Amino acid sequence: MSSPPAAASGENVPAAEPSYRIRRCTDGDLDVILRIEDESFSDPYDRDVFSQLLRSEPDGFLVAEGEGGVVGYVASSARYGLIFSLAVSADHRRKGIGWMLMDGALRYLRGRTRRVTLQVRVGNAAAIALYRRFSFKEEGIVRRYYPDGEDALVMTLNLGPV
């Protein structure tokens, strides 16, 4: 059996079910992305936000697709050096899909921006652990960032020269 492929971070990719693939998002994916966003976040982005992200930087907006359709997405921007949002459908979590999406986003961002920043709820231990595996570092806290008053942890990753 061969080793898993090396990720953008240099680590081995956790085993994901072979039926998943990462591809660019299309307008036709937005309804499913909105459902995943709604089930994943208490303060979801709306269609206008995702449409704008798709129009402004389509190569940075990726989806994970399984046999039944889209099961996750990541929206990133080299222009701003940001991961805007990453989510995986509840039925498909803990299968390496989040890792695959982040790896795809970082492959896109590397060589286009020197530094990547994201915000994550301080209580989202699974997401924080994923970001740490990609060597994101904690940079600070934004107090009461989310509408429900929860703080955001700001994490960054230095990608090197552009």
Side-chain angles (χ1 to χ4, degrees), residues 21-129:
R21 71 180 183 106
I22 305 300
R23 64 168 175 80
R24 281 181 51 184
C25 181
T26 67
D27 284 325
D29 298 322
L30 291 180
D31 286 339
V32 176
I33 287 169
L34 288 168
R35 282 196 295 275
I36 295 169
E37 178 81 359
D38 285 343
E39 80 177 20
S40 299
F41 302 108
S42 59
D43 56 333
Y45 290 129
D46 62 23
R47 179 178 294 276
D48 290 340
V49 170
F50 284 113
S51 293
Q52 178 59 36
L53 291 169
L54 183 57
R55 278 193 310 274
S56 66
E57 208 159 344
D59 290 338
F61 200 151
L62 306 174
V63 296
E65 187 175 50
E67 292 177 16
V70 171
V71 298
Y73 69 88
V74 61
S76 64
S77 171
R79 180 178 179 189
Y80 297 106
L82 290 173
I83 301 292
F84 284 104
S85 188
L86 184 152
V88 175
S89 176
D91 293 343
H92 296 276
R93 292 180 187 152
R94 309 296 300 166
K95 297 180 180 181
I97 298 166
W99 178 279
M100 292 170 62
L101 287 163
M102 180 58 79
D103 184 61
L106 293 177
R107 286 177 189 271
Y108 165 70
L109 294 168
R110 195 171 306 282
R112 291 179 173 89
T113 189
R114 292 176 187 210
R115 179 176 162 131
V116 179
T117 302
L118 59 83
Q119 292 85 29
V120 59
R121 286 178 175 268
V122 294
N124 190 342
I128 293 168

Side-chain angles (χ1 to χ4, degrees), residues 94 120-133 138 150 153 155:
R94 309 296 300 166
V120 59
R121 286 178 175 268
V122 294
N124 190 342
I128 293 168
L130 173 68
Y131 304 143
R132 284 180 178 153
R133 290 179 67 198
E138 298 174 14
E150 187 171 359
L153 176 62
M155 300 183 80

Side-chain angles (χ1 to χ4, degrees), residues 126-146:
I128 293 168
L130 173 68
Y131 304 143
R132 284 180 178 153
R133 290 179 67 198
F134 280 96
S135 300
F136 277 83
K137 304 293 183 208
E138 298 174 14
E139 291 289 322
I141 300 282
V142 180
R143 300 282 177 216
R144 303 186 59 76
Y145 178 80
Y146 294 99

